Amino acid sequence: MPADAPITQDVMTIPRKLPAGPTNLVGLTRPQLREALLAAGTPEKQVKMRVNQVWQWIYHWGVREFDEMTNLAKPYRALLADNFVVEIPEVVSKQVSEDGTRKYLVRIAGGHEVEVVYIPEDDRGTLCISSQVGCTLTCSFCHTGTQKLVRNLTAAEIVGQIMMARDDLNEWPEPGAPKDETRLLSNIVLMGMGEPLYNFDNVRDAMLIAMDGEGISLSRRRITLSTSGVVPEIARTAEEIGCLLAISFHATTDETRDVLVPINKRWKIDELLQALAAYPKVSNSERITFEYVMLHGVNDSDEDAHRLIEHIKRYDIPAKINLIPFNEWPGAPYKRSSNNRIRAFANIIYQAGYASPIRKTRGEDIMAACGQLKSATERARKSRKQIEADAGLS
């Protein structure tokens, strides 16, 4: 809504009323924050300035207490404290891998828990965040997919994962300190629990907050959204978020992909490839990443490699293929392809002119690797026999 648009009964009750109980400011977009501050009694003439001030305190400085927002007058800080809170998910536990990977179990509203993974590298630090509690996709190779979908995360719970990690990394700037351009947390991947495009609005709002230049200020090119192929939402991702795109592809025939990634039964490979070819952000500098988990005897043949290349060339998609050694979990129905097989597969793709990096497995010792995420409390409730039964192995 434009800032000067008249407020009508159809849009908002007059006079403005806040919901019962304090409102969490985390996760509100700028227009939503403006409306919340107006509803709490912020004068119309001041609201633009107040939005900027509060936004910077929360997302640039990482401040959670209104008393610490020192460029606001004391009466206004009191008004904020009476009406609002600044809350992020609670860290239940943190595990640190031998390779430095950190896995967090965080608790959100309702007592639910999700997992977040931070992966340090020489030139970047990547945070893998979740968008749903559980997952509805039931991909047969994915441990996360064995946990039923509970609910979507809110925008506050999604951006709150980024804020939680910055807390743990002690990466909020200090007032007066020289600007530090090096970031421990420099990249975001929506590759944790859940299918981001089944929670589009909340994911979009959270990423717009993360990209805002007055706050966390992450470039859209440092955010990658991974989808299993929710075709109708792919164009919206480019238009409304503008981030990079990764596709959980994993198979080169519909017959195999129907089993590995059951969403393929709804949107077949050709339909998905058409949507990727039309992705507005696609260019050689912003290639689509095809994620391909290497499963012994299932999708790792030379024929699969050649078919994959044919698919990409047929639709002229600027692409790189990220080969992922399968991370085994208790009761998993698949085995990891051998290193020789993975290298041979990668070489066929490379010879065809496409980048084919083999992902280095990170955090495997703490079950933080790709496809292994599943909340610890969920695992604790199940014996190994139950896990195997869920996977259809009993």
Side-chain angles (χ1 to χ4, degrees):
M1 182 191 300
D4 57 353
I7 296 173
T8 68
Q9 288 283 359
D10 291 334
V11 176
M12 182 172 288
T13 304
I14 299 175
R16 294 183 176 95
K17 289 184 180 180
L18 285 170
T23 299
N24 188 9
L25 294 182
V26 175
L28 299 184
T29 62
R30 281 184 177 268
Q32 290 167 344
L33 179 57
R34 179 183 185 277
E35 290 302 322
L37 295 184
L38 283 170
T42 303
E44 184 91 35
K45 289 182 179 179
Q46 294 182 13
V47 72
K48 182 177 180 180
M49 174 184 69
R50 296 307 190 198
V51 166
N52 287 335
Q53 289 173 323
V54 172
W55 189 277
Q56 288 182 27
W57 279 116
I58 294 173
Y59 296 117
H60 178 74
W61 300 111
V63 166
R64 310 284 154 78
E65 301 296 331
F66 296 112
D67 280 347
E68 296 177 32
M69 299 182 180
T70 50
N71 63 346
L72 304 178
K74 283 187 176 180
Y76 191 68
R77 283 184 251 165
L79 179 146
L80 292 176
D82 286 343
N83 291 285
F84 303 110
V85 292
V86 180
E87 292 182 345
I88 66 170
E90 171 197 359
V91 178
V92 177
S93 66
K94 179 179 83 172
Q95 294 174 273
V96 182
S97 168
E98 292 177 355
D99 62 22
T101 298
R102 305 183 186 197
K103 184 173 76 168
Y104 309 93
L105 182 67
V106 299
R107 183 173 294 129
I108 57 174
H112 304 300
E113 294 171 350
V114 295
E115 291 174 335
V116 188
V117 177
Y118 171 73
I119 305 165
E121 298 176 79
D122 291 340
D123 60 343
R124 70 181 67 188
T126 300
L127 189 71
C128 179
I129 62 178
S130 295
S131 57
Q132 296 179 309
V133 185
C135 189
T136 189
L137 295 179
T138 63
C139 297
S140 59
F141 59 88
C142 180
H143 196 212
T144 312
T146 64
Q147 181 180 348
K148 291 182 174 65
L149 177 69
V150 178
R151 70 168 174 85
N152 287 334
L153 297 190
T154 65
E157 290 162 347
I158 296 169
V159 76
Q161 295 172 60
I162 304 172
M163 299 168 72
M164 173 277 302
R166 295 197 83 187
D167 285 354
D168 187 56
L169 295 167
N170 194 28
E171 201 175 20
W172 298 105
E174 292 286 338
K179 189 174 182 181
D180 184 0
E181 295 295 344
T182 61
R183 285 199 171 194
L184 295 174
L185 199 170
S186 62
N187 292 64
I188 300 293
V189 292
L190 284 144
M191 295 182 185
M193 301 172 73
E195 165 54 65
L197 296 189
Y198 277 153
N199 186 18
F200 184 90
D201 289 353
N202 288 323
V203 166
R204 175 201 58 211
D205 290 352
M207 292 305 101
L208 292 179
I209 291 167
M211 290 187 283
D212 189 289
E214 297 296 315
I216 297 170
S217 192
L218 285 170
S219 162
R220 65 173 183 83
R221 294 179 67 171
R222 290 189 172 272
I223 297 173
T224 300
L225 183 149
S226 175
T227 176
S228 292
V230 185
V231 166
E233 305 293 353
I234 286 175
R236 282 186 75 196
T237 301
E239 293 159 6
E240 299 182 34
I241 305 175
C243 59
L244 302 186
L245 194 66
I247 300 297
S248 293
F249 204 66
H250 308 309
T252 61
T253 67
D254 283 323
E255 182 182 17
T256 302
R257 198 166 190 268
D258 284 351
V259 174
L260 296 181
V261 189
I263 196 174
N264 195 73
K265 296 173 184 176
R266 186 167 183 184
W267 295 292
K268 297 296 187 182
I269 287 175
D270 274 338
E271 195 173 353
L272 173 57
L273 292 169
Q274 287 171 16
L276 299 181
Y279 191 68
K281 294 291 179 186
V282 159
S283 67
N284 283 325
S285 64
E286 299 188 25
R287 296 168 294 175
I288 287 176
T289 299
F290 283 72
E291 297 169 313
Y292 199 93
V293 65
M294 299 297 293
L295 303 171
H296 173 68
V298 176
N299 64 354
D300 62 351
S301 69
D302 287 356
E303 290 75 19
D304 282 304
H306 289 298
R307 262 195 304 269
L308 181 55
I309 294 161
E310 288 168 11
H311 285 320
I312 294 168
K313 285 189 171 179
R314 185 166 71 254
Y315 287 94
D316 194 26
I317 300 171
K320 72 173 180 178
I321 294 85
N322 199 359
L323 301 179
I324 307 167
F326 175 57
N327 297 306
E328 297 178 23
W329 38 270
Y334 304 106
K335 296 294 182 185
R336 177 184 296 184
S337 302
S338 70
N339 290 339
N340 286 341
R341 180 88 297 266
I342 295 173
R343 283 194 290 266
F345 195 100
N347 189 54
I348 291 172
I349 294 167
Y350 177 75
Q351 293 298 329
Y354 296 94
S356 55
I358 299 170
R359 183 182 293 177
K360 182 181 178 183
T361 299
R362 301 292 299 270
E364 195 172 17
D365 57 317
I366 56 170
M367 289 287 283
C370 182
Q372 288 185 321
L373 292 189
K374 189 174 183 188
S375 74
T377 50
E378 173 72 12
R379 281 197 297 273
R381 284 194 289 265
K382 293 187 176 185
S383 67
R384 182 187 178 95
K385 193 170 289 186
Q386 285 175 301
I387 293 171
E388 291 179 352
D390 288 349
L393 298 183
S394 57

